[in-house]
Amino acid sequence: MLKINKTSLSLSLNNNDQREFNFVWLRDNCQCDACLHPSTQERTLITSEIPDDIAPIDSNMDDGNLSITWNDKGHQSHYSLDWLNKHQNNKETHTCSYVDPAMGELKLWDNSLEGNIPTFNYIDLREDNSALLAWCEAIRDVGLTIVRGAPTVEGEIERFAEHVAYVRETIYDRLHNVRATPNAYNAYNVASTSLELKPHTDMPNYNNPPGVQMFHFLVNEAEGGMSTAVDGFNIARLLKEQDPDAYKTLTEIPVPFRMDSARGDILSANPLLTLDTAGNLKVFRFSNQLAQSLNLSVDKMEAFYHAYRLLGRLIEDPDNMVKFRLNTSDMMATNNLRVMHGRTSYDVNSGNRHLQLSYMDYDDVLSRIRMIKKAS
Ligand SMILES: [Fe+2]
């Protein structure tokens, strides 16, 4: 049942399932009050101070507990079988043994989402935490939501962000207004004209772009200006299928983006497709209007433009884009690390169009999911 090896011990857990536990890991995960602060649950044991030859001098199983006396100043550790079951080694798929209650399932989409975009009622989200949980989960899994019926009061989008989590400030104003300026050539950016705004993610010029972008129509009486959205993760999947080398190129070549305002000047270069260490797509960046000129070798330049243009054509493909009308009092929110948003051009003389923007960090939305689940 308990077998001591050279650098690990083996235990039979549930159903006589034999599991192996590394000595350094066991010592490092000692649950005693001297190694784990009893009230904060923060680790006080310093991992680098564990002796290289750490090993048990005594060990036994008793009453559902594994007890070990270490050759490290005779330190004693106790682990319940329940804890060992939950934290067993040999699970390659998890980076951490904590089972994340905010873990979801990606739902990639194309234009078949049109008419099926997750849609919520503003009052429900303010008053009912189960509705708010569903909204947060839709941001996580689909990355695109519509909220109807928000009061048409200035700053409501900021209050909504504060209801969900926190406002993520950027070099835009904390509460950013988007409306056409009378002279398009004096406009703050393309969004402040009535021109078409191609699908893009916001603020790709940050090393950590805001994870959720949200806007609220205080008024939309203009003709045209249909909202558009494209799932960047789906586009990346299609690119990988069509041309794996092009996909690889876009995971490797950093693209510089820059945006400046009276509040700051943010410039950074990151691949359009940022992967995690398991090779999964983590962040999708795309903004034709904010991309800066590249400086690459001739070979790399050719490979980059081939891949970049292929990506751009997939984004523009109507099969991959949803198009929908947002009206006065509607809000839209996207997972800005994944989903692009845009709009068609509109007639500036046909009626007023004014929206306000706010951002949140994606981690704060996941945190809200955990907190609501914890409280229920
Ligand atoms: Fe935008």
Side-chain angles (χ1 to χ4, degrees):
M1 191 176 175
L2 171 60
K3 187 172 161 243
I4 303 291
N5 310 311
K6 196 165 172 241
T7 58
S8 66
L9 61 79
S10 310
L11 274 181
S12 50
L13 294 175
N14 286 347
N15 309 320
N16 286 331
D17 194 10
Q18 198 74 14
R19 291 284 169 184
E20 201 171 326
F21 295 92
N22 172 274
F23 288 156
V24 178
W25 181 88
L26 278 168
R27 179 67 192 89
D28 195 37
N29 284 280
C30 179
Q31 303 291 295
C32 83
D33 286 357
C35 295
L36 199 64
H37 193 281
S39 64
T40 69
Q41 293 296 298
E42 288 170 298
R43 296 164 33 76
T44 47
L45 169 71
I46 308 300
T47 307
S48 59
E49 292 175 2
I50 298 173
D52 290 343
D53 62 349
I54 188 78
I57 47 175
D58 189 26
S59 58
N60 62 73
M61 290 291 307
D62 196 16
D63 262 355
N65 275 298
L66 167 67
S67 298
I68 297 177
T69 305
W70 296 103
N71 61 353
D72 178 10
K73 303 179 200 92
H75 190 86
Q76 294 198 337
S77 303
H78 306 280
Y79 316 84
S80 72
L81 284 192
D82 187 43
W83 188 90
L84 288 168
N85 253 317
K86 279 190 193 138
H87 298 84
Q88 52 189 268
N89 290 193
N90 308 319
K91 281 194 170 180
E92 306 295 342
T93 50
H94 294 278
T95 50
C96 155
S97 52
Y98 174 65
V99 179
D100 184 357
M103 225 158 71
E105 201 180 321
L106 276 184
K107 292 172 187 156
L108 302 186
W109 46 268
D110 54 21
N111 72 347
S112 59
L113 191 73
E114 212 163 277
N116 300 305
I117 298 169
T119 302
F120 299 82
N121 177 278
Y122 185 80
I123 301 299
D124 292 347
L125 298 186
R126 291 301 298 252
E127 293 180 354
D128 175 3
N129 268 357
S130 63
L132 184 59
L133 176 64
W135 179 83
C136 292
E137 289 178 336
I139 289 289
R140 179 194 64 193
D141 298 338
V142 181
L144 172 64
T145 65
I146 296 171
V147 178
R148 307 250 191 233
T152 49
V153 181
E154 296 239 355
E156 199 59 32
I157 195 69
E158 190 179 339
R159 283 185 284 281
F160 179 67
E162 284 167 345
H163 174 66
V164 178
Y166 309 99
V167 171
R168 156 73 190 270
E169 294 214 34
T170 69
I171 60 165
Y172 274 168
D173 295 332
R174 179 180 164 95
L175 180 65
H176 183 71
N177 287 286
V178 178
R179 57 190 147 196
T181 48
N183 179 352
Y185 294 99
N186 289 333
Y188 181 63
N189 59 17
V190 183
S192 307
T193 71
S194 59
L195 300 171
E196 179 189 10
L197 193 52
K198 294 284 192 187
H200 61 279
T201 58
D202 278 3
M203 313 274 173
N205 50 317
Y206 279 86
N207 282 308
N208 62 331
V212 180
Q213 79 88 38
M214 305 183 294
F215 59 76
H216 174 213
F217 271 104
L218 290 171
V219 58
N220 190 10
E221 291 165 348
E223 278 172 28
M226 293 280 282
S227 292
T228 59
V230 181
D231 182 356
F233 279 18
N234 187 49
I235 296 299
R237 178 188 66 84
L238 292 169
L239 181 69
K240 196 175 184 179
E241 260 175 36
Q242 278 184 19
D243 191 332
D245 288 342
Y247 176 88
K248 190 165 179 287
T249 296
L250 296 186
T251 65
E252 290 173 348
I253 294 181
V255 177
F257 290 100
R258 181 183 177 207
M259 180 194 274
D260 65 337
S261 75
R263 281 162 57 97
D265 183 354
I266 307 287
L267 167 70
S268 70
N270 288 281
L272 300 179
L273 310 177
T274 305
L275 306 183
D276 66 17
T277 51
N280 298 314
L281 185 56
K282 198 172 180 185
V283 181
F284 181 97
R285 286 179 171 83
F286 188 85
S287 176
N288 194 73
Q289 63 263 37
L290 296 185
Q292 306 296 302
S293 75
L294 282 159
N295 190 356
L296 293 170
S297 68
V298 172
D299 285 356
K300 279 195 172 170
M301 196 68 89
E302 196 175 326
F304 172 77
Y305 272 114
H306 166 72
Y308 186 47
R309 282 144 56 86
L310 206 51
L311 184 86
R313 286 168 193 154
L314 284 168
I315 293 168
E316 288 290 316
D317 185 336
D319 285 352
N320 299 325
M321 185 186 298
V322 290
K323 215 175 252 189
F324 49 99
R325 169 85 188 176
L326 291 172
N327 294 303
T328 300
S329 87
D330 287 346
M331 289 179 173
M332 189 185 93
T334 59
N335 175 343
N336 190 52
L337 307 179
R338 166 183 168 190
V339 171
M340 290 161 275
H341 60 279
R343 60 137 203 262
T344 62
S345 63
Y346 64 95
D347 179 358
V348 75
N349 297 314
S350 62
N352 288 332
R353 191 182 196 274
H354 176 200
L355 55 89
Q356 291 187 316
L357 264 180
S358 185
Y359 296 99
M360 292 190 295
D361 273 329
Y362 186 59
D363 276 332
D364 285 328
V365 174
L366 296 183
S367 158
R368 193 68 155 116
I369 292 175
R370 295 183 195 108
M371 296 301 278
I372 295 175
K373 286 192 169 177
K374 222 186 279 182
S376 62

